[in-house]
Amino acid sequence: MTFKLAEQSHRRFNPLANEWVLVSPRRTERPWQGAIEAVSGNQLPKYDPTCYLCPGNQRVGGARNPAYDSTFIFENDFAALKPDAPVGCVDLHGKGLLVAESERGICRVMCFSPRHDLTLSSMSLDEIETVVRMWIAQSQELAAFPGISHVQIFENRGAMMGASNPHPHCQIWATSSVPEVPARELRSQVGYHDAYGSCMLCDYTALEQAEKERVVCGNDGFVALVPFWAVWPFELLVCARRHFANFSDFSADEVTQLSAMLKQIVFTYDSLFSVPFPYSMGFHQAPGKGAPHPKWHFHAHFYPPLLRSASIRKFMVGFEMLGTPQRDITPEFAAEKLRSVAEMRR
Ligand SMILES: [Zn+2]
Ligand SMILES: [Zn+2]
Ligand SMILES: [Zn+2]
């Protein structure tokens, strides 16, 4: 009997996260009795007087936004982290059971545009390039702060992902410790380099480009693919083609290429189920302090929760909370669906 990835349940290994995912290709054939989420197809206004991110409006904390006409960045009024929190760590009772340490950080919000109704798919390439250049500047500025070890840029889009406001924006969190996910990815990339003498994501990107099956779209600077080990139905990994670690390593061409890639990805997502596609996305650059990390490869993750239509989402419950993450459609099937939409745009 031959083992067929497209038909049989199996486990796949994620070498970046160092964990396994269960793939059950035929599970979507079962009758669905879950939640049907309401589709919000409402046309948004260009300016919303009640939006705390629109130009000139007052925020909940009392500050008023300037009449900005490009990007706009401010310190989060309800920041989860503060730069001047007292430093310390404790091990109550000395048994490693009640352990805590202080965490300092800076949390910023960045509006992509003064327009309330735009998204990364409807903004012009020029406008997105301005956003990417601000990400580069913010990464450099925040990494230079004393005590900052990591800069995480991320976007939550859609109510399904907990985004409280449709105004196009992202968050930038700079932290004194390296967060769990990048810390694990750093260990994995260093471990791979030690074992094989080459970069994990350079090798992986080259292999996927040769196989083509999971590649969705690409240009001279970046490639977007559904990783072999994807957990979320239409998850994407966006890898730089050139080996570099940080936003500060971007060439002028790569600014344009990343902008074009982001526009195409969000357009593809929105076209898939004809709905503004919810997702969490973020960039993974090397931790900024201490030893340089030449083995880190710059990349981005897109994690969208939608499964089969605009109203059916994936939940991470039951076996996934207690056992291991699981997916219902194969990454190859997801890539084929996304590719068919991405190619329509060309
Ligand atoms: Zn707004
Ligand atoms: Zn590399
Ligand atoms: Zn990553």
Side-chain angles (χ1 to χ4, degrees):
M1 239 172 60
T2 40
F3 168 45
K4 291 200 179 91
L5 291 181
E7 290 170 22
Q8 288 160 261
S9 292
H10 59 276
R11 297 204 302 161
R12 295 190 185 192
F13 181 61
N14 179 344
L16 254 187
N18 195 23
E19 65 187 20
W20 292 82
V21 51
L22 180 63
V23 183
S24 317
R26 310 191 80 89
R27 265 190 101 216
T28 44
E29 288 171 11
R30 77 205 152 120
W32 178 266
Q33 294 185 312
I36 303 291
E37 307 261 358
V39 179
S40 76
N42 295 344
Q43 213 50 40
L44 292 170
K46 289 178 184 174
Y47 165 78
D48 178 350
T50 67
C51 167
Y52 65 89
L53 297 175
C54 274
N57 289 1
Q58 193 164 27
R59 301 202 297 272
V60 184
R64 187 172 290 279
N65 298 329
Y68 66 95
D69 58 8
S70 177
T71 57
F72 168 55
I73 297 171
F74 60 94
E75 305 274 324
N76 194 321
D77 299 318
F78 303 97
L81 299 166
K82 301 275 189 208
D84 49 3
V87 175
C89 59
V90 290
D91 180 356
L92 304 169
H93 305 286
K95 290 187 156 182
L97 295 173
L98 306 175
V99 175
E101 61 179 40
S102 59
E103 178 77 34
R104 289 181 157 187
I106 301 160
C107 299
R108 293 180 175 171
V109 177
M110 173 181 165
C111 298
F112 296 160
S113 162
R115 286 269 301 268
H116 187 78
D117 59 329
L118 294 185
T119 71
L120 285 175
S121 72
S122 52
M123 285 167 67
S124 73
L125 197 56
D126 274 358
E127 289 168 332
I128 302 174
E129 284 181 24
T130 304
V131 170
V132 174
R133 279 193 291 270
M134 284 312 293
W135 287 338
I136 295 170
Q138 286 291 307
S139 297
Q140 288 170 330
E141 182 188 320
L142 289 166
F145 267 77
I148 291 301
S149 302
H150 185 74
V151 179
Q152 182 63 58
I153 297 172
F154 63 97
E155 179 193 7
N156 283 336
R157 185 192 191 207
M160 214 180 255
M161 294 310 280
S164 50
N165 189 326
H167 195 112
H169 71 286
C170 71
Q171 299 190 54
I172 306 173
W173 288 28
T175 50
S176 59
S177 69
V178 179
E180 274 301 302
V181 176
R184 211 182 308 143
E185 291 189 354
L186 179 61
R187 287 194 293 274
S188 298
Q189 289 179 90
V190 169
Y192 182 93
H193 205 284
D194 291 348
Y196 297 98
S198 52
C199 164
M200 173 191 280
L201 289 181
C202 279
D203 285 3
Y204 180 62
T205 306
L207 197 148
E208 287 291 9
Q209 285 180 135
E211 291 221 343
K212 293 190 175 70
E213 202 182 6
R214 284 170 293 271
V215 174
V216 172
C217 54
N219 56 32
D220 288 343
F222 296 87
V223 58
L225 53 93
V226 182
F228 183 75
W229 54 80
V231 167
W232 294 94
F234 294 97
E235 176 177 337
L236 284 175
L237 177 68
V238 180
C239 289
R241 284 193 194 268
R242 187 170 67 84
H243 182 83
F244 64 88
N246 294 90
F247 264 117
S248 54
D249 300 318
F250 267 58
S251 69
D253 281 347
E254 281 158 348
V255 170
T256 307
Q257 289 151 353
L258 181 67
S259 303
M261 183 103 277
L262 293 174
K263 191 170 164 67
Q264 181 163 25
I265 288 171
V266 179
F267 173 85
T268 300
Y269 274 156
D270 288 356
S271 307
L272 188 65
F273 299 140
S274 304
V275 68
F277 215 68
Y279 59 74
S280 268
M281 71 82 81
F283 299 97
H284 272 160
Q285 46 185 339
K289 274 284 164 10
H293 299 296
K295 293 164 189 174
W296 185 280
H297 190 110
F298 182 92
H299 62 278
H301 301 276
F302 277 82
Y303 298 124
L306 293 181
L307 177 56
R308 271 177 292 155
S309 73
S311 56
I312 297 178
R313 62 158 298 171
K314 174 184 175 59
F315 288 96
M316 290 279 232
V317 294
F319 190 74
E320 316 198 293
M321 278 181 139
L322 295 155
T324 201
Q326 174 270 334
R327 59 178 292 129
D328 302 305
I329 56 172
T330 63
E332 293 73 31
F333 177 81
E336 187 188 314
K337 285 265 178 231
L338 287 170
R339 199 162 49 233
S340 67
V341 179
E343 276 163 5
M344 276 165 24
R345 182 179 164 79
R346 292 221 182 92

